[in-house]
């Protein structure tokens, strides 16, 4: 006896590919049912905003480095003034107020150098973030497989502020690992066997 049923063939595993950045899609490189390899470019988001953010982060880092050089020069001057004040103090050749001022100026200059160094670290991190976001404008396949769903077209705007939008579904090993989702009548389900078991 045979039991007839209709259903859909589905992959066992699907990988949803989204976008971490927002913007219009500059180009979509693959279509439905296309075979893709890991790392292959699927689509590109317009990188104009990300490039501008990277340029701004680079400028901030350059400014922070210049600021560090300036604070280091001021520290050197304050250190020399402080050394002179320490030499003049035993001979009472400097007023107490000038001695205290030289000391505090030296301490402030040291603190300013530490702040400038922290600003460089912060600017470096911001540049790394900007470069990462620029890299995310190129959407790549995370696995080898077949594109089983494409939800975007060239020119469409991707908005990722609230949640990562799903752009593609890629099914790895679709030629080896699939299942059939079919409805079978309750009276017939007990009769279904694996073809190998019947042999």
């Amino acid at each position: 006896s045979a039991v007839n049923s209709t259903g859909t063939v589905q992959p066992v595993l699907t990988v949803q590919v989204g976008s971490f950045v927002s913007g219009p899609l500059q180009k979509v490189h693959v279509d439905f049912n296309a075979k893709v390899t890991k790392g292959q470019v699927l689509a590109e988001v317009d990188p104009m905003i990300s490039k501008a953010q990277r340029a701004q982060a680079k400028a901030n880092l350059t400014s922070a480095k210049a600021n560090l050089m300036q604070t280091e020069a001021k520290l050197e001057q304050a250190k020399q003034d402080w050394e002179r004040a320490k030499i003049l103090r035993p001979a009472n050749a400097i007023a107490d107020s000038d001695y205290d001022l030289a000391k505090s100026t030296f301490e402030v200059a040291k603190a300013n150098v530490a702040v400038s160094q922290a600003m460089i670290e912060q600017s470096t991190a911001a540049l790394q973030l900007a470069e990462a976001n620029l890299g995310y404008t190129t959407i790549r396949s995370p696995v080898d497989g077949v594109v089983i769903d494409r939800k975007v077209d060239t020119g469409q705007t991707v908005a990722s502020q609230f949640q990562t939008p799903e752009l593609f579904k890629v099914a790895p090993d679709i030629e080896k690992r699939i299942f059939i989702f079919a409805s079978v009548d309750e009276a017939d389900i007990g009769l279904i066997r694996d073809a190998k078991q019947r042999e």
Side-chain angles (χ1 to χ4, degrees):
S1 62
V3 176
N4 294 322
S5 178
T6 58
T8 56
V9 177
Q10 297 182 2
V12 173
L13 178 65
T14 58
V15 178
Q16 297 176 350
V17 181
S19 174
F20 288 106
V21 294
S22 300
L25 284 173
Q26 202 171 41
K27 189 170 184 183
V28 177
H29 294 276
V30 296
D31 203 353
F32 177 78
N33 211 29
K35 287 187 177 182
V36 294
T37 57
K38 184 176 181 179
Q40 181 178 338
V41 176
L42 303 180
E44 295 176 53
V45 178
D46 188 354
M48 183 175 63
I49 293 174
S50 297
K51 284 182 178 178
Q53 289 172 341
R54 182 182 65 177
Q56 183 180 15
K58 278 186 177 179
N60 289 342
L61 179 58
T62 303
S63 175
K65 287 179 179 178
N67 190 44
L68 176 62
M69 292 173 64
Q70 187 178 28
T71 55
E72 285 176 340
K74 288 180 179 178
L75 173 62
E76 185 61 30
Q77 178 64 45
K79 182 180 179 183
Q80 291 175 2
D81 291 344
W82 170 233
E83 293 298 331
R84 276 193 295 271
K86 286 193 292 186
I87 293 171
L88 295 173
R89 177 65 184 257
N92 289 329
I94 187 171
D96 289 342
S97 60
D98 291 338
Y99 177 83
D100 293 339
L101 179 62
K103 182 179 180 180
S104 64
T105 302
F106 176 62
E107 295 298 331
V108 169
K110 282 200 299 186
N112 286 339
V113 168
V115 169
S116 296
Q117 289 170 340
M119 289 299 295
I120 287 178
E121 291 178 6
Q122 185 178 7
S123 298
T124 301
L127 178 59
Q128 290 173 347
L129 176 63
E131 287 177 343
N133 285 336
L134 180 60
Y136 286 139
T137 59
T138 302
I139 300 164
R140 300 179 183 276
S141 176
V143 292
D144 296 338
V146 176
V147 177
I148 60 170
D149 194 7
R150 188 191 85 176
K151 299 187 175 184
V152 290
D153 292 308
T154 300
Q156 187 172 338
T157 300
V158 176
S160 64
Q161 283 87 359
F162 304 109
Q163 63 180 11
T164 302
E166 182 184 298
L167 308 182
F168 303 93
K169 278 187 182 177
V170 179
D173 298 329
I174 194 169
E175 296 174 356
K176 300 176 183 176
R177 301 174 63 196
I178 59 173
F179 69 94
I180 298 173
F181 187 79
S183 297
V184 179
D185 189 83
E186 188 177 351
D188 296 329
I189 194 69
L191 303 175
I192 294 178
R193 299 283 186 275
D194 190 344
K196 292 180 181 178
Q197 290 178 351
R198 288 184 304 183
E199 293 174 359

